[in-house]
Each structure stands twice: as C-alpha cells, then as structure tokens.
Amino acid sequence: MAGTRRNVLEGAAAMASVGLLAAKAAPKPLRILILGGTGFTGPHQVRYALSRGHQVTVFNRGKQKVEWPGHVEELLGDRSTGDLKSLEGRDWDVCIDNPTTLPFWVRDAAHVLKGHVKQYVFISTISVYKDNDKPADETAALTPYAGKDPFAEKTLNLELYGALKSVSEQETQAQFGADATIIRPGLIVGPGDQTDRFTYWPVRIARGGDVLAPGDGSDPVQFIDARDLAEWTIRMCETHRTGVYNATGPAKPMTMRGMLDAIERGVKSHPNIVWVSSKFLDDHKVEAWSDMPVWVPGSGDSAGFAKRSIARALNAGLTFRPTELTAADTLAWFRTLPADRQAKIKTGLAPDREAELLKAWREAPKA
C-alpha cells in the first residue's frame, strides 16, 4: 500500500509540471513549517516551496511516506494525542496548518509555536458560512457552534464540520492576531484527489455515450485545482499576506454547462450530454453534490453556494490553470490507479443507475 501511495503522489507531482516549470526563486528564502504535508494539497505545497528556494519542514505521524525532489526535514508527532514535542524550541518564518478540523489542534499548536513563527496560515473551508442562499464575501456570518465546549471535541462529527472549522479560525486569530492568515477553499479538485468529487466528470465524459447531467446547465459551479491553491498559499507566505480569503474558482463565473464543455475539451471526448431537471432528480432521490458531483441547485437555499466572492484572493494574486488542463491531468492520474480502484469511483452515478434514470427521463411526460 505504501508503494502504491508513493506512486500516486509521484504521478500527481509529474502532472504538476506546469506550475513547477513556471516557478521562479522567491525574493527571500523562508523557513516553512507545514503541519501535515503528505495529504492532497500538502505535497503540492512542499514541491512548489522547494522550487522557490524555501527550506521546508513537515510535521505529521509519518504514516504516508513521500519522495521529495529536494531536502525536506520531517518531524514526527501526533496532534490528536497532543504529541508536539518535536516542534518545541524551534523557529520558523511561517507555519501552514493544513489538516485541522478540531479547535484543540490549533490551541495546542499555538502553545508550542506562538512567538516562534511570524505567520500562521490556517486552511479552512467555505463550509464555515452559516447561509448559502445568496452570494457573499468573507464578511458573511459563520456557522455558530451549538455544543458546550468545542475544545472538548476530540473526534470529528461531520454534522459539526463547518462550526468546528469556524471555531478553529477564531482560535487562530485569537492566538496569532495580526499574523494570522485564514484561507477558505471551496471544492478542491485535481490529480491526487481520492474523494472523486470532481474526478467523476472527466472519467464519465471520457467513457462517452449518453451522459446524465443535472439541471439545464445554467447553475453556477465553483472549485479550485489543488495545485493552484497550494502554489498561491506559498506565495501568500512570501508576501506575508494576512487576513481572511475565500479561495475557490475559476476567476470568472462558470456554469455547469461551461464546466462540462471544458472537461470535454480537456479529455478530448464529446458524448451526448442529457440535461435532466432538478425536479426529476429530486423525485428520483438523486442527491446534489454526491450523486451529481460539484453541482448544487442555483436557486433556493443553495442559490449562493457557488457564488462566493473571490475578489480578495484575486487581488492577492490567486491564479488558475484552465479547467481543460485540470480535467486532462485528473483523468491521466485516475488511470494510473489500480483497476479495482478505478472500477469503484467514490462519487457520482453507477453506470446501471445512470442508464435507469436516463430511461425514466425519456419516458417521463414533459411539460
């Protein structure tokens, strides 16, 4: 399994070549500590930071080994048990906190790192927002935590995900003040994504035939390539940018139809897209986001979900690969996975379920 993991990450690194080839040395080398570093976005951060001439240290449990293209210091510990001893008495210019979902992780890290880092970058999520019914920026209300003590939460309850991330943000700001950077990504996609939340579409479109798609194509979508997020995060460290930023994309508004058109171009396949009404999908218990990845209805309670303002991030230098490239690289990466993994894509419709729905749609009376 370790070898498979390493091969997957190496494949993802190769597909990140556009970003790495474009990288230039940073104006000033930084000492960067990355909490995590071996998940989805972390390896892209490490490789880009190395390409810019930075010194990188990663801190994690050491369970996922990655081969790096340069020297990376690796410190072992476990934040879930409070084992941060290897971080004690050390100084870094910046710390990037990738994996935190529980507030006590931030609190404990601050006990060791406060006064020893000049900037603390907390990777949050747009799931912190309380409402999704209208477009909004970083000043929108956050999801309140309804429990007794958020710092007593030791395991993640997915129903509290947004609220716990919100408390973690607040703890970051309380501990690090003006040196805190909060980045709120939207759906993170691209090669290396083991959730398949975007991958479904390049894989499905490449297979061809009649492809069931949600709505009429006009609903908005937002997502960000993990490589774009990772590289921008490193550049935010180089300029010591602080504050709160929504980090999703693309740069200009995109519809579901626009996304699928770009994916078609990227994977060089042009199937027959069959747009199926939201009501039909709801009646047949086809779930937005999971059965139909990336998509949520662009009306009602979710009208603003895919319309988060990213003006602050754009002004701070966030850039994007073309969706065509993300789709092509994602498909190429997916095809490097073992056959049994490819046969069990984790989101989207199974082929027989999709065929059943398409048949029902064609036979349904149309208004």
Side-chain angles (χ1 to χ4, degrees), residues 109-130:
H111 288 169
V112 176
L113 296 174
K114 194 172 181 179
H116 294 276
V117 296
K118 300 173 184 177
Q119 182 182 9
Y120 193 94
V121 180
F122 180 72
I123 307 299
S124 186
T125 170
I126 60 168
S127 294
V128 296
Y129 291 112
K130 178 176 179 290

Side-chain angles (χ1 to χ4, degrees), residues 4 39 50 96 105 123 128 130 147 206 309 312 328 330 344:
T4 299
L50 291 175
I96 302 173
W105 284 22
I123 307 299
V128 296
K130 178 176 179 290
S309 171
R312 292 201 73 208
T330 300
K344 296 178 181 177

